[in-house]
Each structure stands twice: as C-alpha cells, then as structure tokens.
Amino acid sequence: MTMRRAIAVAARGSWPTASARCTATLSHADRRRLKLATDGGEPFLLDLQRPTRIADGDGLQLDDGSYVLVRAAAEDCTLVRCADPVSMTRIAWHLGNRHLPVQILADGLLIRADHVIAEMARGLGAVVETRRCPFDPEAGAYAGDTGDQHHHHHDHHDDDDHGHDHDHGHDHGHDHGHHHGHRHG
C-alpha cells in the first residue's frame, strides 16, 4: 500500500472540519517533519510545495482529497509574566533577540521550556510558571510575504547557545528574506 501524502494545508475555519477522516496530534516541532502519523497510527508524508505554518485546527489535505485535522499536542512550556509593560517589553526583546518562538497570551508570553531562558527571565524580574499545554507560536513579521494564509516557519532550535547575550550584527549563515543588522559584541 502506498503511503498517503499531505499535499496542502487549509487554514482553520476555511475547510470542512466535519469531513476530517481522522486527527493528528502534533507538537510544534512535529508540524515541521516530513513523515507523520495520525492519532490512529496511519503514516503519511508531509509533501508540501513550500514550507508552510501548520497550526491547531488546520486541515492537511491528503492526495485522495480527504483531510486530517491537526491538533496541537501538549508540550513542556514556560509562561513568562511581568508586573509592568516596560519589564514585559524588555523580556520580549530578549526573547526576540534569541530568535525564540513565542506565543503571545493575554497573561504573558509562552515559550518552550528552557531552564536557561527561564532563569534569564527571572533575573530580569519576570514571574516564570511551567505549563504543559499546546504551543502555537507567532508566525513572524515576515511570514506574509508568500501571499498565503499560512506562513513560513523560521525557528532556531534549542541547540543555540542561550547562555550569552548577543547584540548581533553578523550573518547567521541563513537567508530568510530579511536582515537583522545585529552584531556580536
């Protein structure tokens, strides 16, 4: 039997969810892999023409015309909160400077669990709370360049060195359609 292929992503609310043949509960990192499996264990390939953001509630259209409903899996996360807007802005700047995926919530900023970043946030006056919950970070400011409703992911992985402040001005060695103007000091 040939493995099914997911060939398109339909944004949450733009596809007939009642027609989903099954669900696939995926972590944020899993939503960028090539070989996936439904919650029932049926394997399928993510075979999209270009990198595409996949969010909770989206439908992966399979090559037979059916859909798989995407559900965001619970992950180990950290909620960062501050008592005042200036402190929260400072924390947001430091998270952005490290290119970390961030989900903006009404009560703070949600990031993947990372003890080094949590300690940095505490040192800057934040209250840090661990949570196990779905993680669906912002797509990014340059995500709309494709003209799609969905957007290219630009994530750096946790193998980045979080233990240093960097003011960068160097090229990271990758091109994602915009320039940082940062420099290591």
Side-chain angles (χ1 to χ4, degrees), residues 1-8 15-25 36-45 57-71:
M1 181 171 131
T2 305
M3 188 178 305
R4 295 194 188 285
R5 295 179 309 119
I7 57 172
W15 64 283
T17 25
S19 71
R21 66 186 307 222
C22 55
T23 61
T25 304
L36 301 168
T38 67
D39 292 342
E42 180 184 351
F44 66 96
L45 294 176
D58 287 351
L60 296 177
Q61 184 180 12
L62 299 178
D63 51 358
D64 66 0
S66 65
Y67 288 90
V68 173
L69 172 63
V70 174
R71 288 290 175 217

Side-chain angles (χ1 to χ4, degrees), residues 96-107:
N97 194 44
R98 286 164 179 77
H99 304 284
L100 295 176
V102 175
Q103 183 175 350
I104 300 170
L105 303 175
D107 60 339

Side-chain angles (χ1 to χ4, degrees), residues 82-100:
C82 293
D84 63 271
V86 172
S87 297
M88 184 53 82
T89 301
R90 182 174 292 114
I91 298 286
W93 183 87
H94 280 281
L95 296 175
N97 194 44
R98 286 164 179 77
H99 304 284
L100 295 176

Side-chain angles (χ1 to χ4, degrees), residues 32-55:
R32 299 174 334 137
R33 293 213 167 113
L34 296 178
K35 185 176 179 186
L36 301 168
T38 67
D39 292 342
E42 180 184 351
F44 66 96
L45 294 176
L46 190 59
D47 191 13
L48 306 175
Q49 288 187 359
R50 64 178 155 246
T52 303
R53 181 176 191 265
I54 302 171

Side-chain angles (χ1 to χ4, degrees), residues 6-12 14 26-34 36 46-56 58-61 70 136-139 143-144 146-155:
I7 57 172
V9 177
R12 171 182 34 224
S14 72
L26 308 168
S27 71
H28 179 250
D30 286 341
R31 287 177 256 156
R32 299 174 334 137
R33 293 213 167 113
L34 296 178
L36 301 168
L46 190 59
D47 191 13
L48 306 175
Q49 288 187 359
R50 64 178 155 246
T52 303
R53 181 176 191 265
I54 302 171
D56 184 67
D58 287 351
L60 296 177
Q61 184 180 12
V70 174
D136 198 17
E138 291 291 308
T146 64
D148 296 358
Q149 286 186 335
H150 282 284
H151 313 299
H152 169 75
H153 266 305
H154 172 66
D155 289 343

Side-chain angles (χ1 to χ4, degrees), residues 115-136:
H115 71 281
V116 173
I117 297 299
E119 196 56 41
M120 176 206 71
R122 279 188 200 96
L124 292 169
V127 174
V128 175
E129 173 188 324
T130 59
R131 288 189 175 176
R132 180 132 181 100
C133 59
F135 182 59
D136 198 17

Side-chain angles (χ1 to χ4, degrees), residues 74-79 103 110-114 129-135:
E75 303 182 52
D76 292 330
C77 295
T78 301
L79 178 66
Q103 183 175 350
L110 191 67
I111 60 172
R112 282 192 213 128
D114 181 318
E129 173 188 324
T130 59
R131 288 189 175 176
R132 180 132 181 100
C133 59
F135 182 59

